[in-house]
Amino acid sequence: MKIDGMPTRTIRIAADGRTVEVIDQTKLPFAFEILQLRDVEDAADAIERMVVRGAPLIGATAAYGVALAMADDPSTENLNAACDRLIGTRPTAMNLRWAVFEMKSFLERLPVEERKDSAYRRAAEICDEDVEINASIGRNGLGLIQEIAARKPQGEPVNILTHCNAGWLATVDWGTATSPIYLAHGRGTPVHVWVDETRPRNQGAALTAYELGHEGVPHTVIPDNTGGHLMQHGQVDLVITGSDRTSANGDVCNKIGTYLKALAARDNDVPFYVALPSPTIDFSLTDGVAEIPIEQRSGDEVSKMTGLAEDGTVRTVEIVSCGSPVANYAFDVTPARLVTGLITEAGICEASLDGIAGLFPDRAETGR
């Protein structure tokens, strides 16, 4: 996708062929800065501080984190230590575990002297695979938008609501929930996106709006609690969200507040789709509500807010009454019964054991 008209990926290798460069998403939307990751601790810190975020991008960063560790010390002891460090950074996102497992199982079969170069090649492949997966999600989801557009008066946009940031900033490129939107917009189908601000951290207002603006996609930022009202008044044709982990039965774990959007969509007969790459599916879980661990993050993300002051400086201010306790659950789980369908790189399926297994029979059989 593009920043100021220039094609850009969220993660890349620097000119030295070793250092990993990522967009510092903590600085968006007020500044576009590249952060350099020089060792595995830099990669782990970037994931923990949400310099990089979004399940697919977390996975890609972890893959390069393993490569950085192999560049320093390709021993088996260091490989195990690096993988353990990276796995511990975020408990919920499935792609993190998937990417680290891919890297570890690939590298531990190789002689020590081959691990460095091979690690960088495999991490690059994981990134390229993510781009193609997300492009395929876009192609598979495009028909949903085009079908709605065909029923509307000519020129009237398809109104799509999305929650959090499941755009290209959450992946290596294209995004998951946004991929069908970008493809529809690029082909001339009128679309308009309702962008939930997505408290806490404001990933919708800060990130989704930022990337939609740079792509020229019409959009409107709304408070998180506005979606139900819009659905009641026929102003939402379709909801598409992303997923950080999806259980084998189709329960979807995503940014906190997604469950409420699904409830509102069901009450107002609005289709609710989830766009997800297959590495997000956790075939070892059959009850996402009960089994998916929900990360609890610092209360500062709720009690403080960062913005651009009138004098042009970026400031962080306290917004909660002094001394009041704060809880910060980062994710919730939407039960499969509320999900109209899952948009994957292999096609669209019902959110169910049979639906998912039908698209990914090999993984469903092995439980991995």
Side-chain angles (χ1 to χ4, degrees):
M1 308 309 290
K2 297 182 180 66
I3 296 292
D4 295 329
M6 294 294 295
T8 307
R9 280 190 176 188
T10 54
I11 188 168
R12 66 193 183 198
I13 294 296
D16 65 6
R18 182 191 189 283
T19 305
V20 179
E21 296 183 332
V22 296
I23 299 170
D24 187 344
Q25 297 191 32
T26 66
K27 302 297 177 63
L28 294 175
F30 309 117
F32 181 84
E33 296 182 9
I34 299 296
L35 182 68
Q36 293 192 325
L37 312 179
R38 303 184 186 278
D39 56 33
V40 65
E41 187 57 35
D42 284 349
D45 180 69
I47 295 170
E48 286 174 335
R49 293 196 300 112
M50 295 182 70
V51 169
V52 296
R53 26 71 53 210
L57 180 55
I58 289 172
T61 305
Y64 270 122
V66 175
L68 288 166
M70 294 299 91
D72 287 334
D73 172 9
S75 69
T76 297
E77 291 77 11
N78 194 46
L79 173 60
N80 291 335
C83 291
D84 288 344
R85 174 70 180 98
L86 291 162
I87 284 290
T89 55
R90 300 287 302 272
T92 301
M94 181 61 185
N95 299 62
L96 169 64
R97 294 177 176 273
W98 174 85
V100 172
F101 177 82
E102 284 287 311
M103 295 294 291
K104 185 176 183 181
S105 61
F106 171 69
L107 292 171
E108 62 188 5
R109 297 193 299 267
L110 300 178
V112 170
E113 60 271 15
E114 295 180 14
R115 287 179 177 174
K116 174 188 172 183
D117 291 342
S118 297
Y120 275 92
R121 284 196 298 271
R122 182 64 187 119
E125 289 171 357
I126 286 174
C127 289
D128 290 341
E129 289 164 7
D130 181 67
V131 175
E132 181 50 40
I133 284 172
N134 295 328
S136 296
I137 288 172
R139 290 189 290 269
N140 291 330
L142 174 63
L144 299 174
I145 298 174
Q146 291 178 326
E147 287 174 11
I148 295 171
R151 300 195 297 265
K152 298 176 76 76
Q154 187 172 4
E156 185 176 313
V158 178
N159 288 298
I160 305 163
L161 186 143
T162 191
H163 188 67
C164 194
N165 174 255
W168 74 264
L169 287 168
T171 66
V172 178
D173 208 345
W174 282 101
T176 55
T178 59
S179 188
I181 296 170
Y182 288 135
L183 203 55
H185 175 72
R187 296 192 179 189
T189 300
V191 294
H192 168 263
V193 183
W194 295 111
V195 180
D196 280 353
E197 62 179 346
T198 320
R199 288 273 295 145
R201 297 193 71 93
N202 292 336
Q203 291 107 317
L207 303 177
T208 304
Y210 178 83
E211 61 176 78
L212 290 172
H214 278 271
E215 289 294 323
V217 178
H219 63 281
T220 305
V221 178
I222 56 173
D224 287 347
N225 293 330
T226 304
H229 168 78
L230 293 173
M231 293 181 205
Q232 282 182 325
H233 292 272
Q235 296 185 65
V236 178
D237 298 303
L238 176 67
V239 179
I240 309 179
T241 74
S243 172
D244 289 85
R245 184 182 295 199
T246 302
S247 58
N249 68 324
D251 294 337
V252 175
C253 182
N254 195 49
K255 173 72 177 187
I256 193 76
T258 304
Y259 174 41
L260 297 179
K261 295 299 181 297
L263 288 170
R266 171 59 61 90
D267 193 50
N268 291 280
D269 295 321
V270 174
F272 182 95
Y273 283 88
V274 178
L276 58 100
S278 59
T280 304
I281 303 171
D282 188 342
F283 285 92
S284 71
L285 306 182
T286 56
D287 185 343
V289 176
E291 297 175 316
I292 294 177
I294 300 300
E295 179 181 3
Q296 295 188 54
R297 295 182 58 81
S298 168
D300 285 350
E301 294 181 350
V302 176
S303 63
K304 300 179 188 297
M305 188 174 290
T306 299
L308 191 66
E310 291 183 359
D311 63 2
T313 61
V314 177
R315 299 181 185 176
T316 299
V317 298
E318 189 82 23
I319 62 170
V320 172
S321 177
C322 184
S324 292
V326 173
N328 184 11
Y329 295 88
F331 303 93
D332 60 23
V333 177
T334 298
R337 60 183 171 81
L338 298 178
V339 179
T340 306
L342 305 175
I343 310 170
T344 78
E345 72 269 23
I348 300 176
C349 70
E350 180 183 80
S352 67
L353 284 167
D354 290 342
I356 294 173
L359 291 185
F360 306 102
D362 293 341
R363 287 191 62 200
E365 184 175 348
T366 62
R368 291 175 58 184

